Amino acid sequence: MNRTDCPEVKVPFPVFFVIGAVSLAENLLVVVAVIGNRNLHSPMYCFICSLAAFNTIASLTKTWENLMMVLADVGQLEKRGTSETKLDDVMDSLLCMSFVGSIFSFLAIAVDRYITIFHALRYHNIMTMKRAGVILGAIWTSGGVLAVLMVKFFDFKFIMICFVVFFIVSLVVICFLYVYMFMLARIHAKSIAALPDGSRGRGALTLTILFGAFVVCWAPFFLHLIIITVCPMNPYCECYRSLFQLHVVLMMSHALIDPAIYAFRSVELRHTFKKMLLCSECQ
């Protein structure tokens, strides 16, 4: 038996519920704003909608799972019942899909920003709405398939290692793309400054902020998975694992942070939010 002096840190269910409810409202607001404003009907905002949808799935899934745990603690559900186990697999699949889909969405946004900055004159020929739709279809299909495979074979250490490696490799690839963009942006500084309001430069910076928030919020959770794989019986590792619920709260908080970044960095989206919330042009 693993021995440790670190007690498990418990987070009250209302915290999960509040985070899930607020993030759901925020991300739905993003989706409705993009759909309702024709000025936002562009590939980049389609990818942002996709990211908002994956954030919503992650928050709802963890809120749902914690509700089931509360019901199980009071004897309303069987912790190891057949139907409960299947439902837990579904929720784990949705959570994995939200993670994989978020990574792919970030990659799609990064590529879109790269084309916008360095191939501005050919952007509308390269990144059409039709191609954006194909990319979104591929993101959601691959995310769903990979999530099911990860959950179904997660008991195999090889699958867990692949899951962690996928996370690390994805971070490296996207970070490399960001660094490459900013290096080229410095080389073409005069051209970038000549663009209207420096909007393209702001787009790259917004993407960097979004990705940084993603890494900060999800990294502790994946460190937890690495610890499970590398040192499952070490008491020091067990101390870190005792903070698992805090890691989940941080992971769910990512869905709260993203819409705030959209609103802060995008003038058009911020204006749309104000119109929707204040109904300034309602008849």
Side-chain angles (χ1 to χ4, degrees):
M1 180 177 295
N2 196 3
R3 296 181 180 275
T4 179
D5 295 330
C6 302
E8 183 179 1
V9 176
K10 296 286 187 180
V11 176
F13 171 73
V15 174
F16 291 105
F17 181 79
V18 170
I19 293 176
V22 175
S23 63
L24 174 62
E26 287 185 348
N27 286 281
L28 286 179
L29 185 64
V30 172
V31 175
V32 173
V34 174
I35 294 175
N37 187 345
R38 291 189 176 183
N39 293 332
L40 300 177
H41 291 181
S42 65
M44 184 191 73
Y45 282 104
C46 288
F47 299 142
I48 286 178
C49 271
S50 175
L51 182 60
F54 285 122
N55 284 339
T56 301
I57 291 174
S59 291
L60 286 178
T61 300
K62 293 309 299 181
T63 304
W64 186 9
E65 185 177 48
N66 280 279
L67 177 60
M68 289 184 61
M69 293 172 63
V70 171
L71 294 175
D73 289 340
V74 298
Q76 297 298 316
L77 289 175
E78 294 183 41
K79 291 187 176 181
R80 298 297 178 185
T82 303
S83 59
E84 287 80 6
T85 301
K86 291 181 179 179
L87 188 57
D88 185 64
D89 288 342
V90 171
M91 289 186 292
D92 287 341
S93 297
L94 289 174
L95 184 63
C96 289
M97 184 180 73
S98 68
F99 163 75
V100 175
S102 295
I103 284 286
F104 287 154
S105 296
F106 275 118
L107 184 59
I109 297 173
V111 172
D112 178 85
R113 290 296 85 195
Y114 175 83
I115 297 173
T116 302
I117 295 173
F118 301 108
H119 301 280
L121 297 179
R122 297 193 298 132
Y123 174 79
H124 293 291
N125 293 327
I126 298 174
M127 188 60 73
T128 63
M129 289 297 291
K130 183 177 180 180
R131 288 178 178 173
V134 173
I135 293 172
L136 288 174
I139 288 174
W140 282 84
T141 301
S142 59
V145 171
L146 290 175
V148 171
L149 292 176
M150 286 177 182
V151 172
K152 187 174 180 61
F153 300 103
F154 200 72
D155 289 338
F156 295 92
K157 182 175 288 190
F158 174 74
I159 298 299
M160 185 181 294
I161 293 174
C162 288
F163 194 36
V164 174
V165 169
F166 171 76
F167 176 70
I168 296 174
V169 171
S170 299
L171 296 187
V172 171
V173 170
I174 297 177
C175 285
F176 174 79
L177 185 57
Y178 292 167
V179 172
Y180 183 63
M181 277 197 293
F182 281 111
M183 288 178 63
L184 287 181
R186 292 191 63 182
I187 295 175
H188 299 85
K190 294 182 179 180
S191 299
I192 299 298
L195 296 174
D197 300 325
S199 58
R200 291 176 174 83
R202 285 203 307 271
L205 181 58
T206 300
L207 179 59
T208 303
I209 296 173
L210 286 170
F211 184 65
F214 177 82
V215 173
V216 170
C217 291
W218 280 84
F221 174 77
F222 272 85
L223 181 56
H224 178 90
L225 296 182
I226 294 174
I227 285 175
I228 292 177
T229 305
V230 175
C231 55
M233 301 302 293
N234 187 290
Y236 296 102
C237 293
E238 187 66 17
C239 278
Y240 183 83
R241 292 176 59 187
S242 68
L243 303 175
F244 178 69
Q245 290 196 15
L246 291 179
H247 303 156
V248 173
V249 169
L250 187 60
M251 181 181 66
M252 292 177 63
S253 298
H254 176 248
L256 287 173
I257 296 171
D258 273 3
I261 297 174
Y262 306 149
F264 179 73
R265 299 294 303 176
S266 171
V267 176
E268 186 68 36
L269 192 56
R270 186 165 63 248
H271 179 64
T272 305
F273 286 161
K274 289 180 180 179
K275 288 173 58 178
M276 292 173 59
L277 295 175
L278 301 179
C279 198
S280 59
E281 295 185 6
C282 289
Q283 299 297 327

